[in-house]
Amino acid sequence: MDAATETTLDTTPETTATAQDTAPPTASAEQPLNLAVIVGSNREGRFAPVVTDWFVSRARQRADFHVDVLDLAGTDLPTALSYDPSPAVRAELAKVSPLLAAADAFVVLTPEYNHSYPAALKNLIDWHYSEWQAKPVAFVSYGGISGGLRAVEHLRQVFAELHAVTVRDTVSFPNAGGLFGDDGPKDPAGPDGAAKKMLDQLGWWARALRTARTSHPYAG
């Protein structure tokens, strides 16, 4: 199965600027985290939109995330990697690379194909490097009996090589076609709880790593 603080300036003459006042700005602890949800399937007749719509609706209910969706069905990156891409390839990269670079965290939504994850997803990953570094990645998977977890285990190895941090908990849907109705999961309590737990973990890592990258740029 493809189965947003208003800043008020003190104008009192006696106010003296301190070193802290003139320090470079850092990311506010209250600033929403940029979350990129990557839809890893581009297969004809894919089930991915069903799972994506449900998950994105849950993520967008949270004030701690600003959510963008990157659907690989709308990209056309070649499998031949290049250090000097053609203008056409640069145009395709311009659709995806800025979003990945701006992200504080990622959720990869993947099916399982033949015991692993889709080629289009690996291709997107391999076209980028620094965009992934020192950022957290979480997974939503679906498939047959394994619920896509074998694809997730392979992805953990790949993201470790890219200096990304994968969060422990996942959301997975075994035999996914039978679990969804017209309005999302037929029994939403379990998936909703799993999504909350995973996003809580992802938010913690994303905020910690954003603060760290701002204070100490990552040297990978």
Side-chain angles (χ1 to χ4, degrees), residues 121-177:
L121 180 53
K122 185 62 160 66
N123 198 36
L124 175 78
I125 293 170
D126 289 349
W127 269 104
H128 300 87
Y129 184 67
S130 61
E131 290 85 353
W132 310 115
Q133 289 185 324
K135 297 178 182 179
V137 185
F139 302 99
V140 177
S141 67
Y142 63 95
I145 192 170
S146 77
L149 290 177
R150 293 176 293 202
V152 169
E153 291 307 308
H154 287 183
L155 283 163
R156 291 188 188 277
Q157 298 175 62
V158 173
F159 279 110
E161 181 66 17
L162 294 166
H163 301 256
V165 177
T166 60
V167 305
R168 179 193 180 278
D169 286 61
T170 66
V171 182
S172 63
F173 294 98
N175 300 314

Side-chain angles (χ1 to χ4, degrees), residues 21-46:
D21 296 326
T22 57
T26 59
S28 167
E30 301 306 318
Q31 181 181 347
L33 299 154
N34 291 324
L35 172 60
V37 177
I38 301 170
V39 185
S41 170
N42 63 356
R43 185 175 185 169
E44 183 179 352
R46 64 197 181 138

Side-chain angles (χ1 to χ4, degrees), residues 4-10 28 30:
T5 57
E6 176 181 340
T7 301
T8 302
L9 297 179
D10 186 348
S28 167
E30 301 306 318

Side-chain angles (χ1 to χ4, degrees), residues 20-92:
Q20 183 176 1
D21 296 326
T22 57
T26 59
S28 167
E30 301 306 318
Q31 181 181 347
L33 299 154
N34 291 324
L35 172 60
V37 177
I38 301 170
V39 185
S41 170
N42 63 356
R43 185 175 185 169
E44 183 179 352
R46 64 197 181 138
F47 193 70
V50 176
V51 184
T52 301
D53 288 348
W54 164 79
F55 177 74
V56 169
S57 72
R58 297 304 180 269
R60 284 181 171 159
Q61 290 175 6
R62 299 175 61 111
D64 52 342
F65 289 112
H66 169 80
V67 182
D68 289 303
V69 179
L70 171 54
D71 189 342
L72 296 190
T75 65
D76 189 23
L77 289 173
T79 56
L81 304 180
S82 172
Y83 291 108
D84 186 21
S86 69
V89 175
R90 291 181 186 276
E92 287 300 313

